[in-house]
Amino acid sequence: MAPPKKYPDELRARAVRLYRESDPKPVIRRLAEQLGVHHEALRNWIRQDEADRGERDDRPTTSESDELRRLRRENAELKRANEILKAASAFFASELDPTRRRS
């Protein structure tokens, strides 16, 4: 389970919108101070918004990250199921084979 977010989604959206709509672009550190957020958090929000809009290629979009997270969870679950099935198969094979030595 993910930890709770430090900043609400509304604040994130508002901060990114303020940055995008400003002309000239404000200094991120100063804007972050005015909004009461850490400057690196604001910088990451802006970068993620740019990736989501297709303006950046150096990081995955939010939907790609969500899909990757979902696929990793599904993969881990399938690996656990396979291990259970392998153990059950080995157990039943040893029970059904009377010529096999039991240890």
Side-chain angles (χ1 to χ4, degrees):
M1 190 164 131
K5 292 182 178 179
K6 186 173 182 179
Y7 302 109
D9 291 335
E10 299 82 29
L11 176 62
R12 293 173 186 230
R14 181 174 157 242
V16 171
R17 189 178 67 248
L18 279 171
Y19 178 81
R20 291 189 71 81
E21 292 175 353
S22 297
D23 192 35
K25 296 293 183 217
V27 175
I28 291 176
R29 187 177 293 264
R30 192 163 303 130
L31 179 60
E33 286 174 7
Q34 293 171 352
L35 295 171
V37 300
H38 194 272
H39 64 276
E40 284 302 318
L42 178 58
R43 188 182 319 277
N44 284 331
W45 299 342
I46 292 167
R47 287 179 180 162
Q48 189 61 53
D49 182 66
E50 290 171 346
D52 290 344
R53 292 172 182 266
E55 298 169 5
R56 293 182 78 105
D57 294 333
D58 61 339
R59 65 187 317 156
T61 65
T62 302
S63 62
E64 291 170 340
S65 296
D66 292 343
E67 182 181 11
L68 182 60
R69 195 174 304 114
R70 181 187 62 77
L71 290 172
R72 283 182 175 158
R73 268 195 311 268
E74 183 180 337
N75 192 22
E77 184 179 326
L78 292 171
K79 283 182 179 180
R80 281 192 297 274
N82 274 344
E83 289 301 318
I84 292 169
L85 291 172
K86 283 180 187 177
S89 175
F91 173 77
F92 287 118
S94 68
E95 291 291 314
L96 294 175
D97 189 3
T99 61
R100 197 168 179 164
R101 289 183 53 198
R102 295 184 188 210
S103 50

